[in-house]
Amino acid sequence: MYFLLKSRKTSVRILRTFLLTAVFVFSSAAESKTDEVQIVIDFGVRISIASKILGESRNLYVNVPDGYSKTDKRYPVLYVLDGGNHFNHSVVATQYLQKLDRIPELIIVAIPNNEGTRYRDLSLEKENFILFIKNEVMSYVDKSYLTTGRNTLFGSSSAGSFTIDLLSSEPELFENYIASSPFLNTNNSEIYKKFLKTIDEQAQEKSLYFSLTGQAEEGKGRTNSVNQFVDLLTEKPPKKLDWRYEFLANQAHRTTPYISMFNGLTHVFNSYQAPSLSNYKEYISFGGVQGIDMHYKRRAKIYGTDQYTPESTLLNVASMLLSDGQAETSLQIYINLTVQFPESAQSFSGMGNAYDDIKQYEKSILAHKKAINLADKMDTDWQDLFQNRLDKVNEKVSLLNKN
């Protein structure tokens, strides 16, 4: 259950408690004793809004990034429908993906249902619910929090259908849409025609991810409606819609939201992620280092991040190129990295590998020695790796001298 603490006007903390059982073993008595301790995890705050549009009080669950109160940075917002079911796992998913640098830090705003209002809000009186989201929820969030104006909407099942319908009817509200197991119970061709008309008229490209599992779980009607919609998008995709459909095998209708949250966020924020280049051909097609630099400049304009290419990205690219037989191109990247990051042991070690590959062993040894000197405060695993690379080059030189 939720434990509510520290009431502040219309907001309270949302906490989740877990039970930890610690086992202590006393060798002298040859017996064990357990001690149970509650672990409390803070998911965010609950805020109450007196909605004039709906004529009732509605709650919002809000989670902000770590350090939010200590910065003036602005953040994109993820809005989550059926918030009572999907708030907790959306927080977990976003935090994990942020640590992997797959998505930017987000403010999460979950909209839970009042008892007995779900069908009304998503179907019978959905126009009022749209107005509530647009004029009361989003207006409140933008006034109360540091937002960028870039918004993502997540919905599952009937809320997934609502999400796709909202993309077709009012695409200006959100940039990104994630729909898990939607039932497209209106005419698919009519939704598609709306897509062609409304989305392609937008100044910026929209992004859509939607998913479904097997027909035994979803039902024939839902499966057919989604498949028909996929066919329409495949035959003639809207020019300004970056869409992806994913069939989630071996899932239940109620488990698809969890996977769709991870995969959907990864898709709709693909412009945030580091370039994924697996070979030299893809590297050239992307525009080489210049193309990578342009990617991060575009990302900075969209998300307010640093415009400079991270060292980690270039290290990965240089390593890939070396593995793909492009030692000279790889070496040039490593040389530039050692100039840009003169205290980077990884850059010098990579340069040593590149020199080794083109049989310039003296330069390779110097680079590896430099890496070892710079790694004195790094984990021993790194130090061992750099030493092992140096030892292998020394062994090659020793064999050459013997011959």
Side-chain angles (χ1 to χ4, degrees), residues 130-362:
I130 292 172
L131 289 175
F132 165 67
I133 294 173
K134 179 179 179 180
N135 296 336
E136 293 184 326
V137 176
M138 298 179 77
S139 176
Y140 168 80
V141 170
D142 287 337
K143 289 178 181 177
S144 304
Y145 293 90
L146 297 172
T147 64
T148 63
R150 294 189 64 85
N151 303 310
T152 299
L153 181 64
F154 172 89
S156 181
S157 193
S158 296
S161 309
F162 178 89
T163 296
I164 291 180
D165 188 60
L166 199 59
L167 171 57
S168 69
S169 61
E170 297 195 46
E172 71 279 357
L173 290 183
F174 300 91
E175 278 67 43
N176 306 316
Y177 299 76
I178 302 171
S180 166
S181 295
F183 191 103
L184 305 177
N185 51 11
T186 58
N187 190 311
N188 282 329
S189 62
E190 290 302 316
I191 293 179
Y192 173 69
K193 289 177 182 177
K194 284 185 179 180
F195 270 35
L196 289 179
K197 178 176 174 55
T198 59
I199 296 176
D200 285 346
E201 289 176 351
Q202 297 295 304
Q204 295 182 341
E205 184 179 73
K206 302 295 176 179
S207 186
L208 168 66
Y209 170 94
F210 59 110
S211 64
L212 202 69
T213 189
Q215 181 173 312
E217 281 288 332
E218 303 286 18
K220 185 176 181 180
R222 189 189 305 266
T223 300
N224 288 342
S225 71
V226 169
N227 287 338
Q228 290 168 9
F229 189 57
V230 170
D231 289 341
L232 288 170
L233 291 176
T234 303
E235 290 171 7
K236 187 179 178 182
K239 295 178 182 178
K240 292 187 177 179
L241 180 65
D242 175 22
W243 68 278
R244 180 189 176 196
Y245 165 68
E246 185 172 17
F247 176 76
L248 303 175
N250 303 317
Q251 295 299 316
H253 177 72
R254 292 181 181 270
T255 64
T256 61
Y258 299 90
I259 300 173
S260 298
M261 182 67 77
F262 274 94
N263 294 355
L265 288 171
T266 300
H267 172 71
V268 301
F269 287 109
N270 57 52
S271 62
Y272 180 85
Q273 297 152 23
S276 179
L277 307 173
S278 60
N279 55 56
Y280 180 67
K281 183 178 179 180
E282 291 180 1
Y283 169 78
I284 294 299
S285 178
F286 199 82
V289 170
Q290 185 178 7
I292 295 171
D293 289 341
M294 288 300 298
H295 167 80
Y296 282 97
K297 288 178 181 178
R298 287 192 298 268
R299 186 176 92 156
K301 289 182 179 179
I302 297 172
Y303 301 105
T305 54
D306 195 323
Q307 66 173 327
Y308 299 105
T309 302
E311 179 193 14
S312 58
T313 296
L314 293 174
L315 283 171
N316 288 336
V317 170
S319 177
M320 176 277 294
L321 291 171
L322 189 60
S323 298
D324 202 37
Q326 303 296 322
E328 293 288 353
T329 306
S330 173
L331 176 60
Q332 190 56 56
I333 294 175
Y334 281 125
I335 290 173
N336 291 339
L337 281 170
T338 61
V339 174
Q340 189 176 357
F341 304 97
E343 301 300 315
S344 171
Q346 289 172 274
S347 294
F348 276 97
S349 182
M351 184 169 67
N353 282 345
Y355 275 128
D356 178 18
D357 199 75
I358 60 176
K359 296 180 172 54
Q360 294 191 27
Y361 298 122
E362 289 185 5

Side-chain angles (χ1 to χ4, degrees), residues 373-385:
N373 290 334
L374 290 171
D376 61 336
K377 294 182 180 179
M378 297 178 70
D379 291 341
T380 55
D381 287 346
W382 282 109
Q383 295 177 23
D384 292 343
L385 173 64

